[in-house]
Amino acid sequence: NAGVTQTPKFQVLKTGQSMTLQCAQDMNHEYMSWYRQDPGMGLRLIHYSVGAGITDQGEVPNGYNVSRSTTEDFPLRLLSAAPSQTSVYFCASRPLQGLSPLHFGNGTRLTVT
Amino acid sequence: AQTVTQSQPEMSVQEAETVTLSCTYDTSESDYYLFWYKQPPSRQMILVIRQEAYKQQNATENRFSVNFQKAAKSFSLKISDSQLGDAAMYFCAYRRGLQGAQKLVFGQGTRLTINP
């Protein structure tokens, strides 16, 4: 089982560049989410989705866009990268109902110079 | 809004000894769930243990157990017989309810070092 797959693992961008972090899951989970991890701040929710065509903002959505055209995929777009977006990004999914835990991808380390 | 606080940025323990990581949370909800996640240097996020707020009995998973004090809003993690493989960042997390899009709120993390 692949679980949650994130690509790329590492990325370096220059200020102002745009890019898309890819996330795919093969567990048919309705709920998908993106977190960013920064030292001393834990993981903070950027955006989430409860199904295809439905997305909503989390705690720190500014500078990021998401879409959910299929159940499997939930890409995160950085529109114009800024040094403040240097972070480790995690995609995670779970069934919408019940107490199943979040299944995390292995993260993307993004550096913006 | 719910908040989760881990007041110990770093902890260290001798191998084979016991260590307790602290976590407090703030909520006005009665139906919620608490989790501890482990993040080793590989960056993978691994669920260690979870606790349902309606259960009075503390959860246990092998060498890992929790001390859940609902009135005090405290949820500490005890690791017994510490092993070198326990070295990691540990995150406490809170989730309100089971229905729908209840998000997972994380604490700041505690970095645990195991001394051989």
Side-chain angles (χ1 to χ4, degrees):
Chain A
N1 289 337
V4 179
T5 302
Q6 282 184 243
T7 56
K9 287 186 170 58
F10 301 93
Q11 183 71 49
V12 179
L13 291 178
K14 294 188 188 305
T15 298
Q17 288 185 317
S18 63
M19 78 158 296
T20 299
L21 306 185
Q22 301 292 345
C23 176
Q25 52 92 9
D26 62 357
M27 297 171 283
N28 203 32
H29 289 166
E30 303 96 332
Y31 182 92
M32 296 187 74
S33 56
W34 277 101
Y35 284 86
R36 60 177 287 173
Q37 180 182 1
D38 301 291
M41 304 189 77
L43 282 76
R44 292 178 294 167
L45 184 64
I46 304 171
H47 284 286
Y48 66 95
S49 168
V50 298
I54 306 169
T55 64
D56 207 345
Q57 295 181 351
E59 183 183 354
V60 287
N62 292 342
Y64 307 96
N65 272 359
V66 292
S67 60
R68 185 95 179 269
S69 57
T70 67
T71 298
E72 294 79 19
D73 299 301
F74 190 45
L76 178 72
R77 297 183 186 84
L78 280 70
L79 308 173
S80 177
S84 62
Q85 294 179 304
T86 293
S87 188
V88 178
Y89 291 85
F90 286 95
C91 180
S93 72
R94 63 168 171 83
L96 190 58
Q97 307 299 338
L99 192 51
S100 292
L102 274 178
H103 296 255
F104 284 85
N106 287 332
T108 297
R109 179 174 292 279
L110 174 67
T111 302
V112 183
T113 61
Chain B
Q2 290 84 14
T3 58
V4 178
T5 302
Q6 293 178 249
S7 59
Q8 305 154 317
E10 297 183 349
M11 293 278 287
S12 64
V13 65
Q14 290 296 125
E15 190 177 5
E17 293 189 347
T18 295
V19 63
T20 298
L21 309 184
S22 301
C23 173
T24 59
Y25 58 95
D26 184 24
T27 185
S28 58
E29 303 292 332
S30 59
D31 179 26
Y32 57 88
Y33 302 82
L34 299 163
F35 306 82
W36 278 99
Y37 278 85
K38 170 185 177 181
Q39 186 183 46
S42 66
R43 213 163 63 197
Q44 188 181 6
M45 292 289 287
I46 302 166
L47 178 67
V48 174
I49 200 165
R50 66 186 178 198
Q51 174 80 43
E52 294 88 336
Y54 64 83
K55 289 187 177 179
Q56 293 186 339
Q57 187 172 6
N58 290 325
T60 299
E61 289 286 345
N62 300 316
R63 296 182 297 107
F64 298 87
S65 61
V66 299
N67 183 5
F68 174 48
Q69 301 289 328
K70 191 171 183 178
K73 297 181 182 174
S74 171
F75 182 60
S76 60
L77 175 69
K78 185 171 82 170
I79 306 174
S80 303
D81 187 23
S82 299
Q83 300 176 358
L84 294 177
D86 295 333
M89 280 289 285
Y90 286 82
F91 292 99
C92 179
Y94 164 100
R95 177 180 160 187
R96 185 186 78 177
L98 283 181
Q99 301 303 317
Q102 303 301 340
K103 68 178 182 180
L104 203 57
V105 179
F106 287 88
Q108 302 90 332
T110 297
R111 183 174 301 281
L112 178 64
T113 302
I114 311 295
N115 300 315

